[in-house]
Amino acid sequence: MMDNPSVLIVEDEALHAFNYSRILKEMGFEHITIAVDALEAVHLAQKLSPDLVLMDIGLPGSIDGRSAANVILSKQKTLIIFITAFGDKEVSTKGSFDTPDGFGYVVKPYTDNGIKSEIKNGILEAFDQVGGVDYLIEIARRDPPTFCRLLAAI
């Protein structure tokens, strides 16, 4: 992990990716990388081990965001917040996606304050998914400054 929590944004629409990046910077995140499709997301997640992934569900290519999230989570613990144009969490994050509740999600269209709130809530929800308190303790032991910054973002 880096000095500051790292974020991987997976979004094929440049304007949305730019806005997410801007909002995350306003929230104090500094290490932000953008992938435009699921295959690139899987590659970058393996290379960078991001602390947080904002994953669009509807991505171009042979695999979607749900499938990419499964691949990423099979190889590492990370927090994933889905981005969807669907307003129904069940429809947008379930489907053939065999995953327990706990992933955060952001619904398009969004406002800056709305997405900040969803990111904060999503981080809290995602902590439960990847180990809750145990995951926080792991971060605190490995990298106390990152732990403090991640909590401050919440």
Side-chain angles (χ1 to χ4, degrees):
M1 253 188 237
M2 301 179 183
D3 297 345
N4 187 289
S6 59
V7 181
L8 175 60
I9 297 171
V10 186
E11 174 61 69
D12 60 315
E13 296 180 35
L15 182 59
H16 287 302
F18 173 79
N19 280 331
Y20 300 141
S21 179
R22 178 185 53 78
I23 291 166
L24 287 162
K25 287 177 184 176
E26 288 175 6
M27 294 176 72
F29 293 95
E30 296 172 6
H31 302 286
I32 300 169
T33 304
I34 297 172
V36 297
D37 63 41
L39 294 176
E40 183 181 21
V42 169
H43 171 76
L44 288 172
Q46 290 173 345
K47 180 180 173 185
L48 303 173
S49 296
D51 301 297
L52 170 64
V53 178
L54 288 183
M55 177 75 71
D56 187 13
I57 292 174
L59 294 168
S62 59
I63 63 173
D64 65 10
R66 294 179 297 200
S67 299
N70 274 334
V71 172
I72 291 167
L73 290 173
S74 73
K75 299 178 184 296
Q76 67 193 59
K77 279 187 176 182
T78 191
L79 309 177
I80 295 182
I81 298 175
F82 288 110
I83 303 166
T84 178
F86 301 102
D88 181 351
K89 185 178 180 182
E90 279 298 307
V91 170
S92 62
T93 60
K94 294 294 182 194
S96 61
F97 191 51
D98 185 21
T99 300
D101 288 334
F103 287 89
Y105 71 106
V106 174
V107 178
K108 296 175 189 174
Y110 55 85
T111 63
D112 284 13
N113 287 336
I115 198 167
K116 286 177 185 178
S117 175
E118 290 297 331
I119 288 171
K120 289 176 185 180
N121 291 336
I123 290 171
L124 292 172
E125 283 184 42
F127 273 130
D128 289 336
Q129 178 67 29
V130 296
V133 173
D134 292 337
Y135 185 69
L136 285 174
I137 291 169
E138 180 183 327
I139 293 172
R141 285 185 186 149
R142 285 194 329 216
D143 191 347
T146 295
F147 173 75
C148 292
R149 288 185 182 100
L150 191 54
L151 288 182
I154 297 171

